[in-house]
Amino acid sequence: MKMFQRFRPSRWLCLAFLVFLSSLLLTTESLARMGGGHSYSGGSSSGSSSGSGRSSGGGSWGGGGSSSSRGGSWGGGSSNRSSGGGWGGASTYGRSSGSGSLYTNPNYNSHPVYSYEEHSTTFIEIVFLILVIYILLRLLTQGSYSGKSTTIRAKQPEILDKLNLSLDNKILTLKQNDPNFSKVLLIDFVCLIYHKFYSFRGSEQFRLLSPFVSKIIYDQTISNVFYRQQRIHNIVIGKAKIINILGWGRTDDIVIEFESNLTLQYLKTKEKVRLINREAWLFGRRTGLISPQPEQMRTLSCPSCGAPADFTDAGECKYCHSFVQAGEQQWQVVKIDIIDSQQFQTEDPGGYVEEVGTNFPTYVQTGLEIHASEFIRQHGLGDWKSFFIEFGEQVVKPYFLATYSAWSKGEWSKARHLVSDRLYESNGFWMDEYARLGWRNILENISIQKIEISRIDLDKFYDSLTVRVFASCLDYTIDNQSKVIGGSIKKPRHFSEYWTFIRTAGVKKIDNEYDLKSCPSCGAPADKVGQTGICEYCGSKITEGQFSWVLAVITQDEAYEG
């Protein structure tokens, strides 16, 4: 929240004195975070997906992390509290860090992960400084505000337009060379590799990834003695987004930004620490490849024969006996940058803050009308307006009410058939965390005021529609004694979110598509859909959009960038 203030001359003198005094006394440790921003779990949102209900107070995950890792990005050391950091090691993995930033956005320029200095500061000086700062701040702010408060978007729409249009054009070029390319499937694949990379790291199973990681990363990982002393589990990916597409020479290169939280365990001491990470991964492959069919993009399988992944240390498939070289038949991990890594802490449920971003204008994709016309043409529909009204009434509103009802009641499994695997897992993590602490976030009297289309993505396999939902509700958190510990049971909270729905391309509307209580495949009650999204009645996986719309991503309004 930016406050435009007018200072009288005396206040400017106070401000100058405050700066001077701070420079003399405030010689405590300085901690400079790589990337220049908070991670998605840091209370102030930074572009994360998969929101944890409304409890985060406008942020997408609301973790309120602390205890920054000082030693860099990767494993090493015996404790997360050591100066080497629990994640420890180097900030760049794979290609040399001298190869340049993975981002086109200048806000993402590479810097040392942390810089840390310690100076001696006496207790009396600190107390005196705190008192002086308090008095001067009171003088600076007392009666000084005039005008309306204005919330400033992190990136202005014109900048986002240029970045997103450039990225869309690169994706279009990629599709022209690879008709099977799908953003939805690529994100599924990179999330699979991310999850397996950390799950297998330090164990014999890591060899199963040999066709999917570069030789440099593979060799560095299996030879790292510290990784053999650690295990990583309970991996939750909150965000996976294409940031940039590079090259067009001998290789196709795509940069993916991840935001995740995971548990790092030290095998010798049995110590566990929950970390929140923000990372940039560079995936590459030989130019001219055609992406595999959806089944192979969602499973760890041999790129040559499609059999379940089982490779020798030399990279030979035990089924077809082909030697699979990373990047020659499928995407491989080329470089990993750990932008930020912090120890996880659940935020104070009473720390509700005002919504940020609700007053932003809806961010609309460049050329949206063209994409809408193409969607109508491909599906043989009459006109966009009629379709979108029906989509809002029969998909968006019912899904919105059903998912938030399941969240509020602490019965997230009842929304399993409506959401993607990643969204179910990420919100399930927060529900479990709240349950562990004896909290429950309740949303009541939900009212949807408006739904606006923001983005349309079409490819050979999937349709994706992103809408902005404006709503209000009573939003509060109670403890296990039903005492309100955050929010308000009287004052409605107004907010907006961007919701992305996906569905298999070419799916026609079927009779029970919008019946939220039934399996869209067999029509049986949707009361037996397991953790994997498979209906126990018919055995169909119904959370990948083959039969009906699936809610894939929730992004907070202040974090949405198209």
Side-chain angles (χ1 to χ4, degrees):
M1 189 72 72
K2 301 288 186 182
M3 307 295 282
F4 294 96
Q5 298 179 339
R6 295 175 183 166
F7 290 103
R8 293 193 291 269
S10 60
R11 290 201 173 97
W12 282 111
L13 292 175
C14 291
L15 180 60
F17 178 71
L18 175 60
V19 172
F20 173 75
L21 186 63
S22 298
S23 67
L24 291 178
L25 298 180
L26 191 57
T27 53
T28 57
E29 66 179 44
S30 62
L31 193 62
R33 220 178 268 174
M34 181 176 177
H38 300 295
S39 72
Y40 70 92
S41 343
S44 64
S45 71
S46 65
S48 90
S49 308
S50 311
S52 58
R54 299 300 311 155
S55 61
S56 61
S60 300
W61 277 63
S66 64
S67 302
S68 297
S69 168
R70 293 170 181 165
S73 313
W74 277 78
S78 60
S79 169
N80 68 296
R81 287 187 287 271
S82 69
S83 61
W87 215 226
S91 64
T92 300
Y93 204 16
R95 288 182 182 170
S96 166
S97 59
S99 60
S101 172
L102 298 182
Y103 295 97
T104 55
N105 183 344
N107 291 332
Y108 291 114
N109 285 341
S110 295
H111 299 286
V113 178
Y114 294 105
S115 61
Y116 178 75
E117 294 180 79
E118 272 190 45
H119 303 282
S120 146
T121 303
T122 66
F123 176 78
I124 296 176
E125 288 175 329
I126 294 175
V127 173
F128 177 73
L129 177 60
I130 291 173
L131 290 174
V132 172
I133 289 175
Y134 174 79
I135 294 171
L136 290 179
L137 287 177
R138 293 281 295 185
L139 290 173
L140 286 169
T141 57
Q142 184 176 12
S144 62
Y145 172 71
S146 68
K148 296 180 179 180
S149 64
T150 304
T151 304
I152 305 299
R153 188 189 289 272
K155 296 188 188 72
Q156 294 303 313
E158 57 270 18
I159 297 176
L160 288 176
D161 284 344
K162 292 180 180 179
L163 292 173
N164 289 327
L165 182 59
S166 174
L167 185 59
D168 286 346
N169 288 335
K170 291 176 181 178
I171 290 176
L172 181 60
T173 300
L174 191 56
K175 286 181 180 179
Q176 291 170 350
N177 298 326
D178 175 9
N180 283 1
F181 180 82
S182 167
K183 284 175 62 177
V184 172
L185 293 174
L186 177 71
I187 294 301
D188 283 346
F189 176 76
V190 299
C191 286
L192 171 69
I193 298 302
Y194 183 97
H195 193 284
K196 297 300 183 185
F197 186 95
Y198 283 128
S199 297
F200 294 167
R201 198 186 74 173
S203 72
E204 290 296 321
Q205 287 182 298
F206 194 80
R207 62 183 172 77
L208 302 181
L209 292 178
S210 61
F212 309 108
V213 298
S214 70
K215 189 177 188 314
I216 294 176
I217 291 183
Y218 185 83
D219 290 344
Q220 286 177 347
T221 304
I222 63 174
S223 63
N224 191 308
V225 295
F226 294 112
Y227 296 161
R228 299 172 198 163
Q229 302 168 14
Q230 306 168 351
R231 287 297 180 269
I232 296 175
H233 22 228
N234 301 328
I235 301 165
V236 177
I237 301 173
K239 173 185 176 182
K241 182 179 180 181
I242 299 174
I243 299 299
N244 196 14
I245 298 179
L246 310 171
W248 310 123
R250 297 173 56 189
T251 61
D252 298 331
D253 294 318
I254 293 183
V255 183
I256 306 291
E257 184 180 59
F258 291 102
E259 292 179 357
S260 67
N261 64 74
L262 45 83
T263 298
L264 176 66
Q265 180 180 15
Y266 298 93
L267 299 180
K268 185 175 182 180
T269 64
K270 305 300 182 182
E271 180 186 10
K272 294 181 181 180
V273 59
R274 191 76 183 173
L275 298 173
I276 51 177
N277 283 2
R278 182 165 167 250
E279 309 173 35
W281 288 40
L282 178 64
F283 287 82
R285 68 178 185 181
R286 177 172 55 85
T287 297
L289 289 182
I290 302 298
S291 297
Q293 294 297 306
E295 297 76 21
Q296 278 189 270
M297 293 293 287
R298 289 198 171 104
T299 57
L300 204 62
S301 58
C302 172
S304 181
C305 67
D310 193 0
F311 304 95
T312 65
D313 291 337
E316 180 186 4
C317 173
K318 293 186 178 180
Y319 292 93
C320 67
H321 302 290
S322 298
F323 285 89
V324 183
Q325 185 176 350
E328 288 298 308
Q329 294 176 270
Q330 178 60 292
W331 295 100
Q332 64 164 329
V333 183
V334 178
K335 181 180 179 181
I336 299 173
D337 284 341
I338 309 298
I339 301 170
D340 194 22
S341 183
Q342 300 181 12
Q343 186 171 330
F344 169 83
Q345 287 185 349
T346 305
E347 67 174 5
D348 177 9
Y352 276 60
V353 296
E354 290 300 320
E355 287 288 331
V356 177
T358 308
N359 62 330
F360 289 167
T362 298
Y363 184 77
V364 176
Q365 170 190 25
T366 301
L368 181 64
E369 299 82 1
I370 298 174
H371 294 286
S373 298
E374 180 62 18
F375 180 88
I376 294 300
R377 186 193 67 78
Q378 289 186 11
H379 290 274
L381 302 172
D383 64 277
W384 172 260
K385 182 178 180 181
S386 299
F387 163 78
F388 191 66
I389 291 174
E390 180 184 37
F391 181 74
E393 292 296 326
Q394 298 191 25
V395 179
V396 181
K397 287 184 178 179
Y399 277 51
F400 195 92
L401 297 174
T403 52
Y404 273 143
S405 174
W407 169 269
S408 297
K409 294 176 181 178
E411 300 173 343
W412 187 230
S413 60
K414 290 189 175 180
R416 182 65 191 96
H417 60 302
L418 305 178
V419 301
S420 67
D421 294 352
R422 188 158 54 91
L423 185 58
Y424 183 77
E425 183 181 64
S426 60
N427 275 357
F429 166 79
W430 284 107
M431 187 161 288
D432 292 342
E433 181 67 11
Y434 268 41
R436 182 184 69 82
L437 297 169
W439 302 345
R440 185 156 67 93
N441 179 225
I442 298 176
L443 310 175
E444 294 179 336
N445 300 340
I446 299 176
S447 173
I448 299 174
Q449 285 86 43
K450 185 168 56 173
I451 302 171
E452 296 178 346
I453 185 67
S454 172
R455 185 176 181 89
I456 302 171
D457 287 300
L458 309 173
D459 59 52
K460 181 177 178 179
F461 298 108
Y462 276 94
D463 299 331
S464 172
L465 304 182
T466 299
V467 300
R468 186 182 186 184
V469 184
F470 292 83
S472 62
C473 67
L474 295 177
D475 175 10
Y476 58 96
T477 299
I478 60 174
D479 60 16
N480 52 17
Q481 303 297 321
S482 296
K483 177 183 177 182
V484 176
I485 54 177
S488 172
I489 61 174
K490 296 181 179 179
K491 182 181 178 181
R493 188 182 187 99
H494 294 267
F495 63 96
S496 71
E497 295 173 334
Y498 287 82
W499 285 37
T500 299
F501 294 84
I502 63 171
R503 187 179 69 174
T504 300
V507 170
K508 302 297 181 182
K509 181 177 178 180
I510 52 181
D511 292 340
N512 62 341
E513 178 178 1
Y514 302 126
D515 181 0
L516 303 190
K517 297 181 180 180
S518 302
C519 168
S521 176
C522 66
D527 58 349
K528 291 187 177 181
V529 180
Q531 297 287 325
T532 58
I534 295 176
C535 172
E536 294 185 12
Y537 292 102
C538 65
S540 298
K541 186 170 179 63
I542 61 176
T543 56
E544 294 176 345
Q546 292 93 329
F547 305 101
S548 64
W549 293 101
V550 171
L551 175 61
V553 179
I554 299 175
T555 308
Q556 301 305 306
D557 45 18
E558 78 276 19
Y560 184 73
E561 295 184 347

